[in-house]
Amino acid sequence: MTTNRRQFIGTLGAASALIAAPSVLRAQSQGVFRIGALCPVTGAGAPYGSGMQKMIIAAAEIVNAAGGAAGRKIEVVSEDTQTSPQAGVLAAKKLIDVNKVQAILGTWSSGVSLAVLPLTNDANIILMNTSGAPALSVPPANAKGLSYRFQATNDRFGRAFAEICVKEGFKRPATMAFNNASGIGNTEGFRKAWEAKGNKVVESVVYEPNQASYRSELQKVLAANPDVIVTGSYLSDTTIIMREWFQSGQPVKWIIPGWAANPDLVKATGPEVVEGVISVDSISNETAPSFKAYADVYQKVTGQSGQSNIFSAMTWDMVHALALAIEAAGSTETAAINAKIREVSNPEGTKVYSYAEGKEALKKGKINFEGASSVLDFDQYGDVSPSFGVFFIEGGKLNRRYVVNI
Amino acid sequence: MEAYLVAIGIIALIYVLLSLGLTLQYGLTGLINFGHVGFFAIGAYASALLVLNGAPFIVGFAAAALLAGVAAWPIGLVSLRLRDDYFAIVTLGFSEVVRIVLTSERWLTNGVQGIPGIPRLYPSLGGATGQIATFATILAVTVFAAWMIRRIARSPFGRIIEAIRDNEEAVQALGKDPPRFKIQVLVVGAALAGIAGAFYAHYITYIVPEQYIPLVTFYVWMAIIMGGVGRVSGAVIGSVILMVFLEGSRFIRDVVPGISEVDMASVRIGLVGLLLILFIIYRPQGLMGDYTKR
């Protein structure tokens, strides 16, 4: 290649100008409400990200088919966070400054949401996320109250665990947590709620991921003689821990989050090992018509079952809640929309399960949108507050005994 | 559009600062440092923690440079007498140790939960003006760093480190002590990475150990290889090319029809890879030329 340096720089400059040019022509067009779909399509969130983004686009089509919101069509501009805060920040900047989006939906990891939130706050637009970190609820992150979380926080799971301990009469709980934000969020949430009731946690252990054995961590916990062990764990490590505990023969009860204590765990360890384990999960709205509508579309678009990606049910709900709030506000001003999001989602009002139904019912009065991922009621921090189902593993089956509301 | 360009500019300048440090270490001295991100992380945490506890920014930045530099010193002591490739392994290991320490010392770093709400530079100026002021500050620091490294390269010190790169035995035969020079270079390069880390923390406003993975180190390596190893201009141009590839590819959708929104994300990453490969095939010496192979 005989290109010299100067020619090369020239070519490079021309190429970047060509790439940048069309965006300059994209001035804000009238008659649309533009939202940014900022999902983890590549990186650690990749198993969920493309489904999440597809559901934002599909839900926007449904809203548009029903005549749009406040007389405007929803237009979706997609970007990829690469599950990295740095790439997420640049992508959000582009959505806000170049595409002029009026809301950003679908950030997944806490790291990305926490890095993007200051930008959406500066731009005075709404951010809807599916992250677990407690820091997202309160100032400085959510100083303007423009952030909405569609996933139960890890903290809430912890509080549900504490309620169950009280109900079951446990006195000496210990905790074991997988060393990541979610695992520690569960057990710390539990510790805070439990100590607020004037009790003590007898032992807390944090373990590193991907070990072949957790025997030493387990011994440390069991040495404190707990009557129950509360975990923030995942399926693969829970499987090993349960086997090693069973071999130790020391009697103790377990409270484990539902994504770890599920039928796969029973299959992996055999039913006698996990007999009596308490599994706690947020109740998705699987029996509601809104879940069926979502699952049908998800099946059509991705060829997979709607239950395989809980986060895409959340992004589906994001578009619905946002569009209904726009319709109720009759305006595209952030402040007006923000004031309506709780009003269209929380109780007091006609229960509705689809956008068209909600739009119709809004003409008559207040509505309460029931989502696919949960009943979608937001607290004062913008966090959904789902109910938790308490399941006991009995004879290899998960039986729901009762429901805990936080 | 302007705010987006300023954002790209800030991130690009952070990479320029990182690349300048590596240019000094690898380009001029021949030290294969695969642990650059470790010093970047130390700088980020040092400044973030200090400023969050009420220290002024200038103290945070000074501590970032100082701590990153001090962290480099023992690594130099224990490992610089090793052969080049072993040094690469030691530094890679060091950056992983830094990440694991940041993950485990929860009392200080809040572990895997990370540190949210780190103050931005110029909090009183607010949104757009604050951004431009941040950009101007980091630009000034970068220009100063580039000038400093040029000065180093042209000084007697610079001639010795280049001689170490080209033939260490010969330098030793002349009665010089190569490890001493290497340690100095390592410390200065690490301090620059620490400053870059402080800028990163105060720009992104949220830091967590998982951001400081070896990929960041290799981005910096890509930048200096594309720009031209061993040249200050190469570090600058290389970082700019990297950002043009990474961010410019977001606009491909506007010119290439027929790819769905969701598929675009993967196509984009693939295209960035392809561009990097083509670049290296047709311009292996980097845009500005490789001065280590003269």
Side-chain angles (χ1 to χ4, degrees):
Chain A
M1 184 114 167
T2 51
T3 323
N4 68 25
R5 189 189 297 162
R6 201 159 287 166
Q7 282 169 334
F8 191 93
I9 295 178
T11 320
L12 201 73
S16 35
L18 183 75
I19 287 169
S23 60
V24 180
L25 305 175
R26 283 188 169 188
Q28 187 164 2
S29 49
Q30 293 302 307
V32 300
F33 186 89
R34 201 170 281 156
I35 60 176
L38 187 58
C39 303
V41 185
T42 58
Y48 312 108
S50 70
M52 292 167 72
Q53 208 161 58
K54 282 174 182 165
M55 283 306 105
I56 293 179
I57 295 167
E61 278 166 11
I62 285 175
V63 170
N64 291 341
R72 288 167 187 248
K73 298 273 182 213
I74 305 277
E75 191 181 302
V76 181
V77 185
S78 303
E79 276 299 338
D80 176 18
T81 65
Q82 300 167 239
T83 328
S84 135
Q86 183 194 315
V89 160
L90 288 172
K93 281 267 182 197
K94 179 199 165 246
L95 287 172
I96 294 166
D97 294 323
V98 180
N99 303 114
K100 312 278 183 210
V101 298
Q102 290 155 282
I104 291 182
L105 277 57
T107 54
W108 177 78
S109 76
S110 297
V112 172
S113 299
L114 280 164
V116 168
L117 190 49
L119 307 180
T120 51
N121 279 345
D122 277 354
N124 212 17
I125 63 175
I126 289 169
L127 176 74
M128 293 178 165
N129 67 71
T130 66
S131 309
L136 274 167
S137 304
V138 287
N142 196 13
K144 290 190 170 177
L146 291 174
S147 166
Y148 291 88
R149 186 202 314 256
F150 284 64
Q151 147 97 320
T153 64
N154 302 123
D155 200 54
R156 258 174 213 283
F157 264 94
R159 275 149 64 194
F161 292 168
E163 285 301 319
I164 295 163
C165 278
V166 171
K167 208 166 163 126
E168 298 294 324
F170 294 125
K171 293 279 179 284
R172 296 176 52 80
T175 66
M176 284 184 83
F178 187 98
N179 195 3
N180 74 3
S182 159
I184 291 176
N186 280 337
T187 56
E188 284 297 294
F190 168 74
R191 193 182 53 79
K192 262 186 275 161
W194 183 247
E195 286 177 354
K197 295 178 195 294
N199 302 309
K200 273 187 75 171
V201 174
V202 295
E203 181 66 86
S204 302
V205 169
V206 174
Y207 57 86
E208 291 305 315
N210 306 323
Q211 286 174 215
S213 163
Y214 296 96
R215 202 159 272 136
S216 61
E217 287 88 347
L218 200 55
Q219 269 166 2
K220 194 173 167 205
V221 172
L222 292 174
N225 246 331
D227 55 4
V228 64
I229 299 174
V230 173
T231 75
S233 58
Y234 292 93
L235 180 61
S236 55
D237 40 297
T238 307
T239 309
I240 299 170
I241 291 171
M242 293 312 288
R243 278 203 196 114
E244 289 176 345
W245 161 71
F246 193 67
Q247 288 159 7
S248 81
Q250 183 170 337
V252 67
K253 292 285 183 194
W254 293 84
I255 299 178
I256 301 176
W259 56 80
N262 56 18
D264 289 333
L265 179 70
V266 179
K267 226 183 286 168
T269 62
E272 70 271 30
V273 174
V274 291
E275 179 71 25
V277 165
I278 301 170
S279 167
V280 184
D281 212 349
S282 67
I283 304 174
S284 82
N285 224 358
E286 283 173 22
T287 51
S290 45
F291 186 84
K292 195 184 171 313
Y294 147 76
D296 287 348
V297 175
Y298 192 79
Q299 180 82 39
K300 205 161 72 191
V301 175
T302 66
Q304 285 166 324
S305 131
Q307 273 151 345
S308 67
N309 187 350
I310 180 71
F311 298 108
S312 55
M314 293 175 195
T315 59
W316 170 270
D317 288 344
M318 286 176 187
V319 177
H320 280 78
L322 181 67
L324 286 169
I326 297 170
E327 177 73 23
S331 152
T332 57
E333 291 303 313
T334 298
I337 299 167
N338 199 38
K340 293 286 179 186
I341 287 184
R342 284 184 186 80
E343 210 178 295
V344 297
S345 313
N346 292 8
E348 302 284 314
T350 322
K351 283 190 180 179
V352 295
Y353 300 91
S354 74
Y355 180 73
E357 199 185 336
K359 191 176 175 181
E360 203 48 45
L362 266 176
K363 289 174 188 152
K364 295 186 205 102
K366 283 187 134 185
I367 60 164
N368 172 15
F369 177 66
E370 305 282 279
S373 60
S374 71
V375 293
L376 216 66
D377 298 334
F378 297 100
D379 65 8
Q380 77 262 38
Y381 304 111
D383 296 341
V384 287
S385 40
S387 309
F388 293 91
V390 181
F391 299 81
F392 283 66
I393 301 182
E394 292 159 327
K397 291 252 177 315
L398 275 83
N399 296 326
R400 189 158 107 194
R401 287 263 186 89
Y402 50 87
V403 171
V404 173
N405 288 303
I406 302 295
Chain B
M1 191 72 195
E2 297 76 29
Y4 175 52
L5 290 178
V6 171
I8 296 178
I10 290 171
I11 299 283
L13 283 173
I14 288 171
Y15 275 100
V16 172
L17 270 179
L18 286 169
S19 307
L20 285 171
L22 199 60
T23 294
L24 182 65
Q25 292 171 347
Y26 175 67
L28 297 177
T29 321
L31 294 173
I32 303 179
N33 175 4
F34 277 175
H36 216 39
V37 68
F39 306 110
F40 184 56
I42 291 171
Y45 272 87
S47 187
L49 287 171
L50 280 171
V51 173
L52 273 175
N53 285 305
F57 284 109
I58 187 79
V59 174
F61 277 75
L66 195 70
L67 281 175
V70 166
W73 189 60
I75 313 232
L77 280 189
V78 298
S79 59
L80 275 176
R81 287 164 185 85
L82 299 173
R83 252 177 45 209
D84 287 355
D85 30 6
Y86 290 103
F87 181 70
I89 296 170
V90 169
T91 48
L92 183 60
F94 165 75
S95 72
E96 287 295 275
V97 168
V98 169
R99 191 168 60 82
I100 288 166
V101 168
L102 291 176
T103 309
S104 311
E105 296 303 311
R106 285 202 283 151
W107 59 275
L108 181 66
T109 64
N110 204 18
V112 288
Q113 313 257 20
I115 304 175
I118 302 165
R120 288 187 189 157
L121 289 175
Y122 307 110
S124 55
L125 288 181
T129 332
Q131 292 274 302
I132 290 169
T134 304
F135 178 77
T137 310
I138 181 167
L139 184 65
V141 170
T142 310
V143 168
F144 178 74
W147 175 78
M148 191 185 76
I149 287 178
R150 262 178 101 95
R151 285 290 301 251
I152 290 176
R154 288 171 183 186
S155 67
F157 180 88
R159 285 195 291 277
I160 290 179
I161 58 174
E162 285 187 68
I164 291 172
R165 177 192 71 205
D166 296 334
N167 191 338
E168 191 169 337
E169 286 78 11
V171 175
Q172 231 161 354
L174 287 172
K176 303 283 183 192
D177 180 22
R180 194 167 66 93
F181 287 96
K182 285 184 180 178
I183 289 178
Q184 288 168 354
V185 161
L186 199 63
V187 167
V188 173
L192 278 178
I195 295 173
F199 274 117
Y200 180 86
H202 292 296
Y203 180 64
I204 301 285
T205 73
Y206 173 67
I207 54 175
V208 66
E210 72 196 45
Q211 290 166 3
Y212 302 99
I213 48 177
L215 178 68
V216 178
T217 302
F218 295 115
Y219 270 152
V220 180
W221 275 90
M222 269 196 261
I224 70 164
I225 289 170
M226 287 194 298
V229 175
R231 297 195 53 135
V232 170
S233 56
V236 176
I237 301 279
S239 308
V240 172
I241 299 173
L242 187 70
M243 288 314 287
V244 167
F245 281 2
L246 285 173
E247 286 304 307
S249 55
R250 291 191 194 280
F251 295 92
I252 303 165
R253 182 183 311 125
D254 298 342
V255 279
V256 181
I259 300 174
S260 84
E261 292 269 314
V262 177
D263 295 339
M264 200 60 231
S266 308
V267 170
R268 177 181 153 241
I269 302 287
L271 211 70
V272 170
L274 182 69
L275 277 171
L276 291 172
I277 292 167
L278 288 177
F279 193 95
I280 295 303
I281 289 177
Y282 289 107
R283 195 80 193 176
Q285 72 278 42
L287 195 56
M288 308 309 289
D290 182 347
Y291 264 54
T292 61
K293 304 254 162 40
R294 240 183 333 191

